């Protein structure tokens, strides 16, 4: 018998052999692996015939390993352990479609981007469940570090070496002003410095766009005067429409009465949106599948048509 024939003879019967070798009893071994004793006895006899050696010395239903049997057992246990590990890995990967993902994201992504993303993901993974957490950049990164969320969509991307960031796309922020504001006439765009004398409405401290707004205004040569602070972009847009100030906000597909969105010519008011997770933290299969899906498809699904895509 050559090596390939020997492997073909061994592979189907390794579990039967190891069960008998461990129990040293035919009846108990048959019960342990759930086969009739007669089937087990014939399998062991056939294995000994194919190998051309005796593996057991029999004394009724009790058995004892021969020298050849001990040699085979030493290798068979390793082989069975590897097969068991492979089976567990296959089952675990299959369970990816029945897992749970805790996703954190900025409020600005909640109305359109995240629903669009989840709809597309669930076309192929309909049984994955999601725990959704919205918040400011600082808050969702804190929840990520604490293990309360598995991955988050945020901006600006952190520089923390314990976190991994995958850029998705660049989002342009516009200066949103009341339709009757003097700045509204600059429909072709204007430098941010032109808004130095205006009152601002904006996000509370701890939100990524608040820190970016302050940084862009400093670059333009002034400190913004915040008259109103909030946590929701559409609410802030409504405050602008009510004539209570101007704001740097992400573009909206919804029409808000009384506001005009203006392109900022200087400085460059764009932010990189990306996926963030904790480096080296073990995660379940569902999280891995979702994370891989986002890295492949996120730049297209998250960004509106006018935004610039970035490779993941």
């Amino acid at each position: 018998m050559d090596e390939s024939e020997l492997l073909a003879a061994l592979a189907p019967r390794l579990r039967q052999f190891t069960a008998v070798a461990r129990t040293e009893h035919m009846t108990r071994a048959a019960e342990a692996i759930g086969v009739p004793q007669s089937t087990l006895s014939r399998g062991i006899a056939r294995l000994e015939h194919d190998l051309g050696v005796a593996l057991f010395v029999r004394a009724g239903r009790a058995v004892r390993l021969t020298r050849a049997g001990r040699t085979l057992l030493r290798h068979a246990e390793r082989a069975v352990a590897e097969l068991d590990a492979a089976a567990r890995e296959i089952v675990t990967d299959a369970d990816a479609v029945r897992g749970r993902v805790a996703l954190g994201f900025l409020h600005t992504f909640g109305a359109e981007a995240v629903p669009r993303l989840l709809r597309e993901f669930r076309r192929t993974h309909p049984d994955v469940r999601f725990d959704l957490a919205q918040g400011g950049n600082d808050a969702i990164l804190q929840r990520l570090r604490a293990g309360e969320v598995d991955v988050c969509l945020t901006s600006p991307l952190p520089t923390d070496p314990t976190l991994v960031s995958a850029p998705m796309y660049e989002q342009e922020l516009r200066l949103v002003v009341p339709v009757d504001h003097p700045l509204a006439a600059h429909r072709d765009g204007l430098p941010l410095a032109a808004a130095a004398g205006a009152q601002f409405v904006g996000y509370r401290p701890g939100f990524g766009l608040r820190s970016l707004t302050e940084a862009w205004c400093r670059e333009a040569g002034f400190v913004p005067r915040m008259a109103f602070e909030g946590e929701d972009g559409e609410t802030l847009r409504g405050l602008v429409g009510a004539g209570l100030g101007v704001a740097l906000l992400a573009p909206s597909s919804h029409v808000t009465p009384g506001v005009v969105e203006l392109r900022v010519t200087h400085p460059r008011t764009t932010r990189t949106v990306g996926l963030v997770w904790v480096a080296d933290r073990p995660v379940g299969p569902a999280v891995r599948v979702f994370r891989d899906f986002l890295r492949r498809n996120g730049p297209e699904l998250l960004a509106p048509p006018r935004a610039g895509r970035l490779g993941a």
Side-chain angles (χ1 to χ4, degrees):
M1 182 179 293
D2 62 22
E3 290 182 2
S4 62
E5 292 173 328
L6 182 59
L7 180 60
L10 284 173
R13 302 189 180 97
L14 285 181
R15 191 172 296 279
Q16 292 180 342
F17 167 74
T18 55
V20 175
R22 289 166 181 166
T23 62
E24 295 188 329
H25 199 280
M26 284 290 182
T27 302
R28 290 197 292 270
E31 292 173 350
I33 61 176
V35 300
Q37 182 181 322
S38 58
T39 299
L40 181 61
S41 297
R42 287 196 300 271
I44 295 300
R46 181 65 182 174
L47 179 61
E48 290 179 317
H49 177 270
D50 289 338
L51 292 175
V53 295
L55 300 173
F56 299 99
V57 176
R58 290 159 177 78
R61 289 190 175 86
V63 295
R64 188 175 69 253
L65 282 167
T66 64
R67 180 178 177 181
R70 289 193 296 272
T71 299
L72 179 59
L73 179 63
R74 187 170 66 251
H75 294 279
E77 285 184 323
R78 289 201 296 269
V80 170
E82 286 296 317
L83 291 173
D84 285 343
R88 285 194 301 272
E89 185 173 336
I90 290 169
V91 170
T92 299
D93 287 343
D95 276 346
V97 297
R98 295 188 292 275
R100 182 183 293 274
V101 178
L103 172 65
F105 54 93
L106 301 181
H107 286 284
T108 49
F109 305 148
E112 298 176 11
V114 168
R116 181 169 59 243
L117 175 73
L118 297 183
R119 182 187 65 232
E120 292 303 316
F121 178 74
R122 284 173 63 84
R123 290 185 191 277
T124 52
H125 300 86
D127 296 323
V128 171
R129 293 168 293 170
F130 284 86
D131 293 329
L132 303 178
Q134 292 175 269
N137 183 58
D138 291 358
I140 61 173
L141 289 178
Q142 183 177 350
R143 296 185 70 172
L144 178 68
R145 293 184 181 96
E148 297 174 14
V149 298
D150 300 307
V151 293
C152 63
L153 289 165
T154 192
S155 180
L157 299 183
T159 57
D160 185 342
T162 67
L163 302 178
V164 180
S165 298
M168 297 281 107
Y169 72 100
E170 281 194 353
Q171 183 181 58
E172 180 186 13
L173 285 303
R174 301 290 181 89
L175 184 67
V176 182
V177 304
V179 69
D180 57 355
H181 196 282
L183 295 176
H186 297 269
R187 299 302 175 96
D188 293 332
L190 75 174
L192 187 56
Q199 286 194 140
F200 274 72
V201 299
Y203 288 91
R204 299 183 189 279
F207 282 71
L209 195 47
R210 173 60 177 265
S211 60
L212 288 173
T213 294
E214 292 176 341
W216 290 327
C217 289
R218 283 196 303 271
E219 188 175 347
F222 69 98
V223 176
R225 294 183 295 119
M226 288 291 175
F228 296 91
E229 297 177 337
E231 299 180 353
D232 176 74
E234 292 307 309
T235 299
L236 297 177
R237 192 178 297 271
L239 293 174
V240 174
L244 299 176
V246 304
L248 281 165
L249 298 174
S252 175
S253 61
H254 302 293
V255 176
T256 303
V259 304
V260 176
E261 291 185 1
L262 303 174
R263 184 175 59 88
V264 177
T265 59
H266 180 79
R268 187 168 180 260
T269 54
T270 60
R271 64 176 178 176
T272 300
V273 175
L275 182 68
V276 183
W277 64 92
V278 177
D280 302 323
R281 175 181 289 170
V283 295
V287 175
R288 290 199 304 272
V289 169
F290 179 66
R291 192 169 65 194
D292 291 344
F293 172 86
L294 256 182
R295 298 186 72 180
R296 290 192 308 271
N297 303 293
E300 185 68 28
L301 292 174
L302 290 169
R306 57 184 166 181
R309 269 70 167 179
L310 292 176

